[in-house]
Each structure stands twice: as structure tokens, then as C-alpha cells.
Amino acid sequence: MMFRLNRLAAGLMLLGGTTTAHAAGFALIEQNASGLGNAYAGQAAAATDASTIFFNPAGMTSLPDRQLVLAGHLIKPQAEFTGTSTIGGGDGGDAGGLALVPNAYYAFRLTPDVHLGIGMNAPFGLKTEYDSTWAGRTQAIKSELKTVNLNPSIAWKASETLSLGAGVSLQYAEATLTNASGFGLATVKGDDVSWGFNLGALWYVNDATRIGLAYRSEVDYTLEGTVTFSGLPAGNGPVTADATLPDSASLSLFHKLNERWDLLADVTWTGWSDFDELRIVRTSGVVVGLTPENWDDSFRYSVGANYRLNDKLTLRGGVAYDETPVSDAYRTARIPDEDRTWIAVGAQYRLSERSKIDVGYAHLFVKDARINKTESGVTLTGTYEASVDILSAQLTVDF
């Protein structure tokens, strides 16, 4: 993973802080606070604000002439292992930790029918970290993935009922993996820069209903970096790892039931089956580490509602079910993922004609995850109990 990191990417990584996966796999759906209260139901059709750049760029045609969105998310996952291994050790403590994930978006009208925008976000992220003497220390101690995505986009109002959008994703990824070995602490670090794209369409069925369809492409990386062993410096050297971050597609519905109520729904597919193994190799071709993953494609289902209490205050609620792409047979200590159910609430308060704030809270109930994993002659057996709490806030300003 290249260490020739330019200043812009470095600055964005500092802004992005530490990310922690809490959507299924290691995806981060927290791309605004305005959608959190609906459990992100209907985001490809809602076009609520400039964060539509991420969810469906075609939605920019529904926005004011110029709009800025700034959002931040406090995320507290909890993941605790109970079990044993053939080398003994503790349960590892809470592998989760508090994280701050920011987003920023700016959109403006270029012509009556064309809008431009740019977003900054983290579409993927992961961090699990155990005590260094835990039972699974030879399989994982620290696992961390950070991404930063710059997403310039364009939207075109093709007709009174159809808008189209497209964007380019310029993406930076950085990874760190550690585990205990016969030569002390083994650490793999690296990074890379790559790119992808996103497409969207928004159909205005009538004044009350719109349907959104959005697609984000996969992003292919060749991460370049180093492997180091604390007890065997002679084993240190350059390594590479190929990685594909998955594509996804969303179909969303937004329906204004009456002057008080909005209804939202969404189904999202993610192509996790591209993640079939984690292979780390030296530049000579010698394999340093190989972990079969064999993930499956997964779906996320969500529904939500908005209630306009008055001209200033709107209340939100939503539920979602997020399928894990990980089967019991291939679950690892680095990503002990399982199905999760979202319960979310939120509110929007209009400060003035040109500004508003959004807040949201969600609790994720994560199904207990079983693990029975053998690597390098060490078998780890047990169960994970996990949950996630998310608190988000957002400022939206029209110009």
C-alpha cells in the first residue's frame, strides 16, 4: 500500500478519524444524519439534501440553487467474545471502540436543468482490536481499514418526470493488520488510491411519489506496503494485497401520504461475493498470509416515516434488516459479522428559511455470531455478543 500519500489525502484521513464497520460486512451507510432517523430507508428517492450525491446523484435536481451539508456521526460498537482456543488466553475485552465519522457535501445549480456537486465521505471502514494476550491472538489482534472518498457528481433534469445523475469516486484506502506469531507481533500496513463511479435515476411518478434507482461500482485496489515482525527484523519487507470493495444497487420509494406524513422504503443489494480471500504476498511471490473469506452477496431492507409536527419540526422513525455476507463456516476474528436489525429515530428543526439541523439516533441489535476457526494449527471456538449505537447531527445551509 503506497506510502507516497499526497497532502490532500493525508488531510482527509486526519478529518475522517477512525472508522468502524457497523453496516453489514465493513460498509458504512452513515452518509448523512438526515437519513439516520429513517434507518436510511428510501435514500435513493428522498433527495432531502445535498447528501443525495452519495445515495443518488440524480436527486440534486430537487435541491435549491446552492446547498452545503456538514454531518458527523458518533458510533459506538460493542463486540465481546466468549470462548476458548487451543493455546489458551483471555476473551480479549471489547473489540469495538468509539469512532467519529464525518461527511460533507456541496451542490449547486449550473443551468436550469443541470446541477453539479461534490461529496467527501467514508464508504467503507473497519476496526476491531483485542487484548494482546487473548485466546485468538494468532488470528487477529488489530484489524483496521480506513477509506476516504471524493465524489464529484452531475445531475440532469431530462424531463419533468425524470432526472439522471452520475459521479466519479476518487478513493483512498489504508489498512493495518496485526496478530501474534512465532516471531513476535506481525504487522501488515499499506495503502492505495483507486477510483470507481456511481449512477442514479429518479422518476417523479406524480406530485406525491418518486422512485429512485442507484448504483455504485466496485473499486479495485492493489494495496502496497510492508510486513514487520517484532522478533525477527530479517523477515521484514514489502508486500502487496489485492482487494475489491463491492458494488451496490438500491431501489427506493418516497411517498407523501398527506400534509403530515411521508412514507419511505428501500432495498439495497451489495456484491460482497467479490471478497473471496485475503491474500498477502511478498514482492517475490511468497505468500505471507492467506485467509479464505468466501462471502456472499447480501441485501438490506428498510422502511421509515416522517411526521411534520409543524412548520419547523419534523419527526422521523425507521427500521431496517441488514443481512450479513458472512457464513458461520468462514467467520473470522477480524470481522465477526452477523445479521443486524436497526431501530432508529430522528428529527429535523428548521432554524430559518435557509438553514436547518438534523439529529438522529439508532440502535443496532446484532445476532450472536458463532466462530470455529482454525489457522496455523490454532483453533478458536466461541460466540460474539455485539451491538451498535449511532448518534448523528447535521447542518444544512442554502445559499
Side-chain angles (χ1 to χ4, degrees):
M1 309 172 204
M2 305 182 302
F3 294 102
R4 304 181 296 276
L5 179 61
N6 61 58
R7 293 181 180 179
L8 174 60
L12 290 173
M13 287 303 299
L14 289 172
L15 176 62
T18 300
T19 57
T20 307
H22 45 86
F26 46 86
L28 290 170
I29 197 174
E30 291 72 22
Q31 303 302 329
N32 61 27
S34 54
L36 177 61
N38 299 128
Y40 293 102
Q43 287 298 289
T48 302
D49 51 53
S51 63
T52 192
I53 289 169
F54 179 88
F55 292 101
N56 184 351
M60 286 192 289
T61 61
S62 296
L63 301 181
D65 287 347
R66 290 177 293 173
Q67 188 177 84
L68 174 69
V69 168
L70 301 173
H73 313 269
L74 286 173
I75 304 165
K76 180 58 178 76
Q78 173 255 334
E80 296 183 347
F81 170 81
T82 302
T84 61
S85 79
T86 51
I87 58 171
D91 286 341
D94 186 354
L98 183 66
L100 171 64
V101 178
N103 324 120
Y105 304 92
Y106 177 68
F108 66 96
R109 187 188 304 272
L110 181 66
T111 71
D113 295 328
V114 176
H115 287 244
L116 299 179
I118 188 167
M120 188 282 288
N121 47 59
F124 298 92
L126 163 72
K127 185 177 182 182
T128 54
E129 188 167 9
Y130 303 89
D131 298 338
S132 61
T133 57
W134 85 292
R137 58 192 177 275
T138 60
Q139 298 185 14
I141 296 177
K142 180 179 179 180
S143 308
E144 185 171 21
L145 169 69
K146 298 178 181 179
T147 62
V148 174
N149 186 60
L150 285 178
N151 197 177
S153 302
I154 185 171
W156 173 48
K157 188 175 182 179
S159 70
E160 291 302 315
T161 59
L162 179 65
S163 292
L164 304 174
V168 176
S169 293
L170 306 174
Q171 204 167 108
Y172 171 80
E174 176 185 285
T176 301
L177 305 174
T178 73
N179 60 274
S181 75
F183 306 107
L185 182 68
T187 303
V188 175
K189 290 185 176 181
D191 62 1
D192 192 17
V193 176
S194 190
W195 69 279
F197 62 90
N198 62 315
L199 303 171
L202 189 59
W203 177 34
Y204 298 82
V205 180
N206 52 47
D207 290 342
T209 305
R210 49 188 181 266
I211 296 173
L213 179 63
Y215 173 79
R216 297 193 71 85
S217 75
E218 62 186 31
V219 180
D220 295 319
Y221 287 97
T222 298
L223 303 170
E224 299 177 359
T226 59
V227 59
T228 60
F229 298 92
S230 63
L232 185 66
N236 300 348
V239 294
T240 65
D242 290 335
T244 298
L245 299 186
D247 55 345
S248 62
S250 297
L251 177 64
S252 295
L253 170 70
F254 177 93
H255 177 68
K256 185 175 181 180
L257 187 63
N258 53 44
E259 291 303 315
R260 294 286 187 182
W261 288 95
D262 301 327
L263 303 179
L264 305 94
D266 183 275
V267 58
T268 294
W269 165 90
T270 303
W272 286 114
S273 57
D274 287 332
F275 189 35
D276 56 355
E277 66 177 19
L278 176 60
R279 181 187 294 265
I280 302 168
V281 300
R282 296 186 185 272
T283 52
S284 63
V286 175
V287 177
V288 175
L290 174 59
T291 303
E293 301 290 351
N294 294 318
W295 283 19
D296 300 316
D297 295 347
S298 65
F299 284 88
R300 184 180 193 274
Y301 310 92
S302 56
V303 293
N306 298 328
Y307 177 71
R308 280 176 287 278
L309 187 64
N310 53 47
D311 291 341
K312 289 185 174 292
L313 182 62
T314 298
L315 305 178
R316 296 191 171 104
V319 297
Y321 179 72
D322 213 349
E323 292 180 343
T324 181
V326 184
S327 66
D328 288 349
Y330 291 99
R331 184 170 292 108
T332 69
R334 294 202 183 278
I335 314 177
D337 196 65
E338 251 296 0
D339 298 337
R340 59 208 64 200
T341 300
W342 293 57
I343 304 294
V345 293
Q348 180 185 92
Y349 185 76
R350 184 168 291 279
L351 300 171
S352 68
E353 282 190 15
R354 294 185 174 272
S355 63
K356 54 194 174 186
I357 57 172
D358 289 272
V359 293
Y361 168 77
H363 181 80
L364 280 60
F365 299 87
V366 183
K367 181 181 176 182
D368 288 353
R370 295 176 295 175
I371 187 169
N372 187 353
K373 182 70 175 177
T374 300
E375 283 187 8
S376 302
V378 177
T379 300
L380 178 68
T381 305
T383 303
Y384 283 88
E385 293 184 0
S387 64
V388 184
D389 290 286
I390 309 164
L391 180 64
S392 301
Q394 173 179 315
L395 173 66
T396 303
V397 180
D398 301 335
F399 298 93

